[in-house]
Amino acid sequence: MQAFTFETSKGSIYIRQIENEDIPHLIEMNKKAFPLMAEENVVWSERQLQNHLRLFPQGQLAALIDGVIVGATASLIVNIGRDPYRAHTYAGITDGGYFHNHDSSGDTLYGADVYVDPDYQGRGIGAALYEARRRLCKSLNLQRILAGGRLSSYDEAPGELSPEAYVQKVIDGEIRDRVLSFQLREGFTVRGILRNYITDPMSRNYASLIEWLNPNYSPAEPSSKVRIACVQYKVRKIDTFEDFANQVEYFVETAADYRADFVLFPEFFSVQLLSVIEPLPAIDGIQKLADEFTEPFVDLMSRMARKYGVYIIGGSHPIRHQDKLQNECLIFDPDGRYIAQPKLHITPAEKRYWGISGGHELIVLPTPKAKIAVQICYDVEFPEASRYLADQGVEILFVPYCTDDRHGQLRVRYCAQARAIENQIFVATAGIIGNLPSVPAMDIHYGQAAVFTPSDFEFARDGIQAIADSNVETLLVTDIDTEDLYRSRASGSVTPRLDRRTDLFELKVKLKNLETHSELNEAPEFELPK
């Protein structure tokens, strides 16, 4: 949503998206706005607000007067299902305030909080923030806004007055509630009463379930189906960059013909480009690949994504960062923009032959079809990273890999299948096949592309959605349904996501990008080498 200025009789209010540096001020303002709730420790923490920005930055909005933040709103998108008015708690629908259950494919904008600096109340700030929410709901073509409105004056009502009777008197104008009366003026309708909604003495823990329906809502054809194409890519000697480009385009074009949403290439498939030049020692070759072929590689993949309108999971390619090299997967969206996921865990061979260094970031990328992430080869053999990604809402994990023999390929395969089962997610893998005798450290390869699922009735019999014949150049195409994940998580034969013993085991995360929001980069235009 674009920033805008909201005009009131008392002056202008500027609405913009919250930024990471706003968080300390927001925490103090939240405590100031809700002092009693601060005593109950149910106001925002720094980690929660950072999570909001990482998962759904568009829904976190601030109101400014003369450059000073005087109010803010926190929102997430939820898939409310067939019963939008079902009973729920604040902790349940916001995942304890962390928004991990934010669902970009949902149909409802949920209002988690609106708060205004008490020193600036009465200047139309709340109305400006509610207008911002309505604009956001319209811009995202969501069906409604839902919220639990605290019955903030209910503690002042007679003890025998039920919450239902209290709400009706507010609707009839016989009682003024500081929150609900305002929400009714803003066009919201009461749909029910939520009991034990939040710990709040002023409301006796009650809230009204309120709804605003988007008059411009245009129902989209509901689909949780996702089509994945995994490229079992054969490396062989080539003479020009154009040969490489033609091989890449063949697979992207074919995947697009099959109407794939995502195309997954293997790890280090771009090393094929080193067969164009005279043989070099391994360390010199990988540095030359990073220094001279990164720009044309980025341009090629970006143009392919734009041309065919697909997401391309670009295998991996060495990227130089000052004096070190990282093995990174570039993920391209249909507009040609990209984001880089570095490999975290580096194999002994990568260190020995190429001097590759491990990265420090894990990227979660929401897309219209699913929330996705990438773990490169060896990374999937470490369960902590996959657990973290699943906790961030990832539904499909892509694993590009490069292994030289069957032992290595099976390590990746079995670990990928384990990650799918223990996290109840889909895991798609693609590996290199073929030989590059003229390129040191890339002599032989063994690969077998596959898409793995949880192991339960919702899914394929062996927990394998699709698998290619090994060591044959091919394109593996299959459909998955993300809705199956949620049914399995809620009512499967086993429910490992629900049954975790968090009282015994805690996952501590120290990723570099925890405090920042990762955004897609615009891909520049380059001349392709011949």
Side-chain angles (χ1 to χ4, degrees), residues 193-368:
I193 301 296
L194 299 172
R195 288 168 163 76
N196 298 314
Y197 179 70
I198 195 169
T199 303
D200 172 35
M202 295 174 65
S203 66
R204 303 180 196 172
N205 300 345
Y206 288 104
S208 58
L209 178 59
I210 58 170
E211 179 186 46
W212 178 84
L213 290 171
N214 177 6
N216 300 337
Y217 174 65
S218 176
E221 182 179 347
S223 177
S224 53
K225 296 279 190 179
V226 182
R227 182 162 293 177
I228 296 173
C230 303
V231 181
Q232 195 151 293
Y233 190 95
K234 183 176 182 178
V235 292
R236 76 269 282 182
K237 176 73 171 67
I238 54 176
D239 297 322
T240 66
F241 187 95
E242 190 174 67
D243 292 340
F244 175 77
N246 289 338
Q247 189 174 347
V248 169
E249 183 165 13
Y250 166 75
F251 283 112
V252 177
E253 181 181 19
T254 304
D257 286 344
Y258 281 104
R259 299 184 179 179
D261 300 299
F262 299 94
V263 185
L264 171 64
F265 282 89
E267 179 188 26
F268 277 135
F269 79 109
S270 66
V271 177
Q272 183 184 26
L273 290 166
L274 291 180
S275 68
V276 171
I277 62 176
E278 290 297 318
L280 292 171
I283 189 67
D284 296 331
I286 204 74
Q287 290 179 357
K288 188 175 185 68
L289 184 64
D291 294 338
E292 298 187 16
F293 288 97
T294 294
E295 289 185 353
F297 175 77
V298 170
D299 180 65
L300 170 66
M301 304 303 281
S302 174
R303 288 191 297 105
M304 292 300 100
R306 287 198 306 270
K307 181 176 180 180
Y308 294 103
V310 296
Y311 280 87
I312 297 178
I313 316 300
S316 79
H317 181 84
I319 303 291
R320 182 178 293 281
H321 295 276
Q322 296 177 343
D323 60 343
K324 68 177 182 178
L325 290 180
Q326 290 189 168
N327 180 7
E328 299 186 0
C329 176
L330 303 183
I331 309 166
F332 297 83
D333 77 354
D335 293 325
R337 300 176 301 165
Y338 69 96
I339 194 167
Q341 171 60 63
K343 188 173 185 176
L344 307 188
H345 304 88
I346 307 304
T347 65
E350 285 176 280
K351 296 175 184 176
R352 182 169 63 250
Y353 292 117
W354 290 330
I356 299 289
S357 299
H360 302 85
E361 299 178 339
L362 275 176
I363 306 299
V364 176
L365 183 61
T367 76

Side-chain angles (χ1 to χ4, degrees), residues 56 76-78 103-110 133 136-145 212-218:
F56 185 38
L76 68 157
I77 298 174
V78 295
D103 183 358
S104 59
S105 64
D107 63 356
T108 298
L109 184 68
Y110 196 88
R133 268 210 189 127
L136 178 63
C137 183
K138 290 178 180 178
S139 70
L140 296 176
N141 190 36
L142 299 175
Q143 187 171 354
R144 63 174 64 82
I145 302 173
W212 178 84
L213 290 171
N214 177 6
N216 300 337
Y217 174 65
S218 176

Side-chain angles (χ1 to χ4, degrees), residues 42-117:
V42 288
V43 292
W44 296 126
S45 69
E46 181 178 2
R47 187 177 172 191
Q48 287 172 325
L49 293 178
Q50 287 172 345
N51 243 28
H52 301 173
L53 286 181
R54 187 166 63 253
L55 296 171
F56 185 38
Q58 306 99 303
Q60 320 314 316
L61 303 170
L64 290 80
I65 294 179
D66 297 329
V68 177
I69 296 179
V70 294
T73 181
S75 308
L76 68 157
I77 298 174
V78 295
N79 191 340
I80 211 69
R82 296 192 178 106
D83 183 13
Y85 310 134
R86 67 177 184 267
H88 58 265
T89 65
Y90 183 82
I93 200 143
T94 67
D95 195 20
Y98 284 92
F99 292 9
H100 287 141
N101 55 331
H102 166 72
D103 183 358
S104 59
S105 64
D107 63 356
T108 298
L109 184 68
Y110 196 88
D113 199 6
V114 172
Y115 48 106
V116 175
D117 188 324

Side-chain angles (χ1 to χ4, degrees), residues 385-428:
S386 303
R387 174 71 78 190
Y388 166 78
L389 292 171
D391 285 347
Q392 302 306 304
V394 165
E395 296 159 316
I396 306 174
L397 179 63
F398 290 97
V399 181
Y401 68 88
C402 173
T403 51
D404 55 357
D405 58 23
R406 189 169 181 268
H407 297 96
Q409 185 270 330
L410 287 178
R411 284 196 299 270
V412 173
R413 171 181 169 172
Y414 292 149
C415 289
Q417 195 159 11
R419 303 297 87 84
I421 292 170
E422 67 200 13
N423 295 299
Q424 294 184 284
I425 59 175
F426 294 108
V427 181

Side-chain angles (χ1 to χ4, degrees), residues 25-39 43 68-70 115-121:
H25 179 83
L26 294 175
I27 291 172
E28 293 307 312
M29 186 173 67
N30 194 229
K31 293 177 181 178
K32 188 177 178 182
F34 303 119
L36 290 180
M37 296 179 71
E39 292 179 7
V43 292
V68 177
I69 296 179
V70 294
Y115 48 106
V116 175
D117 188 324
D119 295 338
Y120 288 84
Q121 287 181 349

